[in-house]
Amino acid sequence: VSDGRRILVCDDEPQILRALRVILRDAGFEVITAASAEEALDTSAVHPPDAAIVDLVLPDGDGVDVTRSIREWSEMPILVLSAVGEEAEKIRALDAGADDYVTKPFGPGELVARLNAVLRRAAGDRDEPTIVVDELELDLAAHSVALAGRPIHLTPTEYELLRTLIGSRGRLMTHSTLLREVWGPAYEDDTPLLRAHVANLRRKIEPEPSKPRYVTTDPGIGYRFAA
Amino acid sequence: MRDHFRMSRRREHSPVVGLAVAVASVAAITAVNYGLRELAPPVSTGVVYLLAVLLVSSYWGLGLGLVTGFLSAAAFNFSHIPPTGEFHVADAGNWVALGVLLIAAGVTSTLAHAARERAEEAEARRREADLTTEMARLLLGGSSMEDSLRAAGRRIAAVFGLESVTVELSWIDSGSREKALPLVVDGDRIGTVMVPKDADPASLEAIRDRVLPALETLVAAARRRAELESQVIETRALRRSDAVQKSLLRAVSHDFRSPLTAITAAVRGLRSGTLSDEARGELTSIAASETERLTRMVENLLDLSRLQAGGAAPRASSCSLEEIVRAAADACPEPDAGFDIAMDDHLPALNCDAAQLERAVANVLENSARFAGDRPVTVRARAAGAWLTLRVSDQGPGIARDELERIFEPFQRSLERPSGGSGLGLAIARGFVEANGGRLRAESVPGKGSTFVFQLPASRDARPDPRVPDRALT
């Protein structure tokens, strides 16, 4: 998947930049680096990368601002690097359009896997009439869902929730993003409502609802549909 | 209280003077009336004597007022009532006039006396209120309880005209010359008020019944205030140590994460079988340099806790500043444009803990290197009297005036330019320099750069020797 893809890495720690350059090159990516928000925006405007990895804390701004600026003109996948305890910042970055986050310190394996996942999501055809993920099949035209060939009855809300999650599969969607897209802006803070519907959805589509395989949880942040 | 003030009034207006005033005023009125005898009927001029009665009874009381009344009646009879020149009344109608004068004098005297009593009582209340206000100011004013009570005692003594009144925060028994009055606050006897035994009973009663209860209430309020104050101070101290702990946690969680992230990525990246030799070397060097950085951070934390616990007693010995600076420069990552070190020859030796000073200089060099950009960090040293001055300058962004001192506080990283430092280096540097009898401060022209100035005491028995170049030491 990764051959020749160009990745922008933005971090103010030169040693982290150095390590990521070596690791991503080893994984087959082309790497461009930036040490500040300004440099990241300049570089990505001149040579638009296929994806960006942005540190949340930058000397001249934060990763949220970089994400928001990139989203003004590009749908490229964005991964943010964050630290434990920066939950609020992570959510702000995700709401600003970041696809996922990786918590420091991280291993190269985890980073490359996340990067490939968001790149796959970006490559997916948005207009495909039928989405098939493992045994789950979603027919967007017929508004029907089937698991291992057997039709599943979903309420309209559950269907909308699944469609939203699957439409951005691989991407971590925050509680407020999901609530806004499925229920509307007035419901943005109603996390218990979302939690209840996710539980119902899992009971219907997950082979083992207690160990979800399709809809996974990022505690305190949101849900994602496994890519 | 009222009695007390009346007594003090009597001391002011002696009865002998009162009697003299009575006689003199009656004589004066008689003389005036005698002059008026052709113009006014004698009976009507008797009224004028009431002025004398009013004057005397206002100042010397009812008794002398009545005496003045009788004197007036006698003088009136003698000089105006026929037959004049003798104490005899011929006409029965004039007896009535004389009787009316006497009754009017009595009534005037009584009324004047009552008015004076009321004025005195009001005056006594005012002074009592003043005393209470004064005691409140003393006790709630913020100085120590002992001092305030001592001053309150002096004020009570002054108001009651007593030789001395002392307030002690202990349980004292009456002595041969002093009477002990207990001071009770919230049900506890917290002290004793000592008053002279020979004080007049009225003053004693006033102090016991009026002044002491006020004093007790004030002491209770002062004690509650002191309690609250100490609680506030305690809370503030707790909050401060809480803030330091939070900063420490933040420093540990944030600052340690950067090298940890680089190390984790590099070391796990090394597992990949597809790495080129060059990439492998790069990852290895990242892991090594970041491990060193982590080590320095841990050392900094330990240094800081030692300095804060006062456990960093320097082991002083004669040492060379140049050696210290060179070692410090070797120990920290070089800036892009390098260190430019030039020291005066013949610098006197220092008498200090070389290891501590090296850490201090290294921390300052590391800080300057971080902000130097592509310009070199210059290091200059020279001797001036009993001091050696070391200046470390960068041409970086500089430091705002109001941050020049704050950067030496732990965890005070510049807000505008997060630097990747731990926020501890400068605090530790100053701590070590001061522990060795020196001083460290920052100077800056924002936009042009910063200079850190060390002032270090030269060793007393190592004055510069012009024949021996300093280089010989190195």
Side-chain angles (χ1 to χ4, degrees):
Chain A
V1 206
S2 47
D3 280 346
R5 302 288 192 98
R6 196 189 3 232
I7 312 296
L8 169 72
V9 183
C10 178
D11 198 309
D12 63 327
E13 281 287 332
Q15 302 291 48
I16 294 179
L17 276 187
R18 269 176 79 195
L20 290 182
R21 190 186 292 125
V22 173
I23 287 159
L24 292 173
R25 273 186 192 152
D26 183 49
F29 295 103
E30 188 187 323
V31 180
I32 45 177
T33 58
S36 66
E38 193 187 347
E39 204 182 331
L41 293 173
D42 286 354
T43 309
S44 58
V46 177
H47 298 292
D50 296 294
I53 299 175
V54 182
D55 189 22
L56 265 183
V57 183
L58 294 169
D60 57 342
D62 62 22
V64 179
D65 297 332
V66 175
T67 304
R68 199 171 289 129
S69 303
I70 290 178
R71 276 289 169 265
E72 283 171 11
W73 55 271
S74 169
E75 283 297 310
M76 74 172 84
I78 300 173
L79 271 185
V80 291
L81 301 180
S82 68
V84 174
E86 292 177 343
E87 254 59 37
E89 293 296 295
K90 280 178 202 167
I91 291 175
R92 278 182 58 220
L94 292 166
D95 283 341
D99 291 78
D100 206 347
Y101 67 88
V102 181
T103 305
K104 290 179 178 181
F106 48 82
E110 182 190 1
L111 179 72
V112 170
R114 291 281 173 95
L115 188 57
N116 279 326
V118 293
L119 282 167
R120 259 201 309 277
R121 195 253 322 153
D125 184 355
R126 296 300 180 76
D127 302 325
E128 58 197 336
T130 311
I131 299 169
V132 183
V133 181
D134 290 347
E135 296 181 304
L136 194 68
E137 199 180 323
L138 182 72
D139 187 333
L140 290 170
H143 281 223
S144 68
V145 182
L147 184 66
R150 275 177 304 154
I152 289 173
H153 175 72
L154 294 181
T155 67
T157 305
E158 286 160 4
Y159 174 81
E160 198 53 32
L161 179 60
L162 179 63
R163 198 187 58 81
T164 306
L165 280 165
I166 264 188
S168 296
R169 61 184 176 281
R171 176 180 169 198
L172 173 58
M173 303 189 78
T174 62
H175 296 139
S176 59
T177 302
L178 283 168
L179 283 160
R180 201 170 42 239
E181 291 196 7
V182 178
W183 281 270
Y187 293 84
E188 215 172 270
D189 297 322
D190 200 347
T191 317
L193 175 75
L194 175 64
R195 201 170 289 135
H197 280 86
V198 167
N200 290 340
L201 181 63
R202 278 175 175 158
R203 258 198 300 282
K204 292 179 181 175
I205 64 165
E206 294 283 358
E208 250 187 293
S210 60
K211 284 186 213 152
R213 167 173 139 201
Y214 298 120
V215 180
T216 59
T217 306
D218 265 67
I221 306 228
Y223 300 95
R224 91 175 76 218
F225 198 93
Chain B
M1 207 63 163
R2 200 174 70 186
D3 289 346
H4 160 74
F5 282 110
R6 192 193 298 151
M7 284 169 71
S8 71
R9 284 285 190 180
R10 271 187 196 145
R11 273 195 294 274
E12 284 171 43
H13 306 286
S14 99
V16 178
V17 174
L19 196 59
V21 169
V23 171
S25 54
V26 168
I29 289 165
T30 304
V32 169
N33 280 349
Y34 191 75
L36 293 174
R37 72 188 189 281
E38 301 299 332
L39 302 171
V43 173
S44 65
T45 56
V47 163
V48 183
Y49 284 100
L50 292 181
L51 287 174
V53 175
L54 191 64
L55 173 74
V56 174
S57 56
S58 290
Y59 283 89
W60 287 272
L62 186 58
L64 272 176
L66 291 175
V67 167
T68 312
F70 278 109
L71 275 176
S72 301
F76 187 52
N77 179 14
F78 188 78
S79 61
H80 290 85
I81 294 176
T84 55
E86 54 182 286
F87 294 107
H88 181 73
V89 179
D91 187 350
N94 285 332
W95 275 114
V96 174
L98 207 54
V100 166
L101 177 64
L102 266 175
I103 290 165
V107 169
T108 304
S109 222
T110 310
L111 285 176
H113 176 76
R116 204 197 78 184
E117 292 257 275
R118 272 197 299 277
E120 272 175 8
E121 197 173 323
E123 169 71 6
R125 299 268 177 210
R126 190 186 63 76
R127 296 180 70 172
E128 191 183 321
D130 283 354
L131 178 62
T132 308
T133 309
E134 180 78 356
M135 291 194 303
R137 195 182 59 73
L138 288 168
L139 281 162
L140 304 177
S143 55
S144 82
M145 181 77 92
E146 280 84 355
D147 290 350
S148 309
L149 288 176
R150 212 167 294 136
R154 279 197 298 274
R155 288 297 303 146
I156 297 170
V159 166
F160 288 95
L162 300 176
E163 195 183 319
S164 87
V165 173
T166 53
V167 186
E168 302 286 347
L169 282 177
S170 54
W171 198 321
I172 302 172
D173 288 326
S174 297
S176 57
R177 298 182 51 201
E178 287 176 312
K179 186 176 167 58
L181 302 173
L183 197 61
V184 180
V185 171
D186 301 333
D188 292 329
R189 176 168 173 179
I190 62 133
T192 312
V193 177
M194 303 297 282
V195 292
K197 270 199 167 145
D198 56 7
D200 61 278
S203 293
L204 276 181
E205 194 188 317
I207 291 175
R208 194 177 53 234
D209 293 350
R210 316 288 282 267
V211 178
L212 245 52
L215 187 60
E216 286 164 348
T217 310
L218 287 168
V219 169
R223 290 214 305 188
R224 266 195 292 279
R225 201 197 64 156
E227 261 167 44
L228 284 174
E229 224 164 51
S230 73
Q231 278 172 12
V232 167
I233 289 168
E234 207 172 301
T235 312
R236 254 188 228 142
L238 275 176
R239 207 176 293 148
R240 211 168 20 241
S241 85
D242 201 38
V244 168
Q245 290 203 347
K246 270 191 197 130
S247 305
L248 183 68
L249 271 178
R250 201 171 51 228
V252 169
S253 72
H254 182 271
D255 300 340
F256 282 43
R257 197 181 317 275
S258 288
L260 275 177
T261 300
I263 293 168
T264 308
V267 170
R268 294 211 195 141
L270 280 169
R271 289 187 197 145
S272 162
T274 56
L275 283 176
S276 67
D277 282 352
E278 193 196 343
R280 203 167 288 278
E282 176 108 11
L283 291 182
T284 310
S285 98
I286 291 168
S289 73
E290 291 302 274
T291 309
E292 274 169 28
R293 186 170 153 205
L294 258 187
T295 308
R296 277 201 305 279
M297 285 180 171
V298 172
E299 275 168 5
N300 272 341
L301 271 181
L302 289 175
D303 284 343
L304 184 75
S305 66
R306 251 181 246 128
L307 277 168
Q308 285 185 337
R315 283 191 304 267
S317 63
S318 182
C319 49
S320 144
L321 180 59
E322 179 157 9
E323 278 177 12
I324 288 170
V325 170
R326 301 267 176 215
D330 286 346
C332 61
E334 190 142 333
D336 294 341
F339 291 116
D340 167 14
I341 302 174
M343 323 260 293
D344 267 5
D345 287 343
H346 319 307
L347 279 180
L350 292 168
N351 186 40
C352 62
D353 186 320
Q356 290 188 352
L357 218 54
E358 186 192 320
R359 309 252 325 119
V361 175
N363 283 353
V364 169
L365 289 179
E366 195 183 338
N367 179 78
S368 300
R370 218 168 18 238
F371 294 109
D374 54 0
R375 315 297 298 272
V377 172
T378 59
V379 184
R380 299 285 181 267
R382 61 185 182 83
W387 296 89
L388 270 81
T389 307
L390 178 73
R391 301 173 68 88
V392 176
S393 310
D394 65 65
Q395 296 172 50
I399 303 162
R401 181 187 285 272
D402 57 351
E403 288 208 14
L404 283 176
E405 270 306 302
R406 272 200 316 149
I407 56 172
F408 291 105
E409 286 167 26
F411 308 112
Q412 290 293 336
R413 252 176 310 190
S414 166
L415 296 174
E416 292 139 45
R417 26 166 216 173
S419 59
S422 67
L424 297 178
L426 294 177
I428 290 163
R430 178 175 267 186
F432 278 148
V433 168
E434 287 178 353
N436 282 278
R439 257 172 268 146
L440 172 61
R441 63 169 202 276
E443 298 170 349
S444 176
V445 180
K448 301 251 160 137
S450 315
T451 298
F452 287 85
V453 184
F454 293 75
Q455 279 183 296
L456 303 163
S459 175
R460 225 170 305 161
D461 39 61
R463 290 283 171 238
D465 183 347
R467 289 164 305 170
V468 184
D470 223 32
R471 302 269 178 218
L473 294 169
T474 57

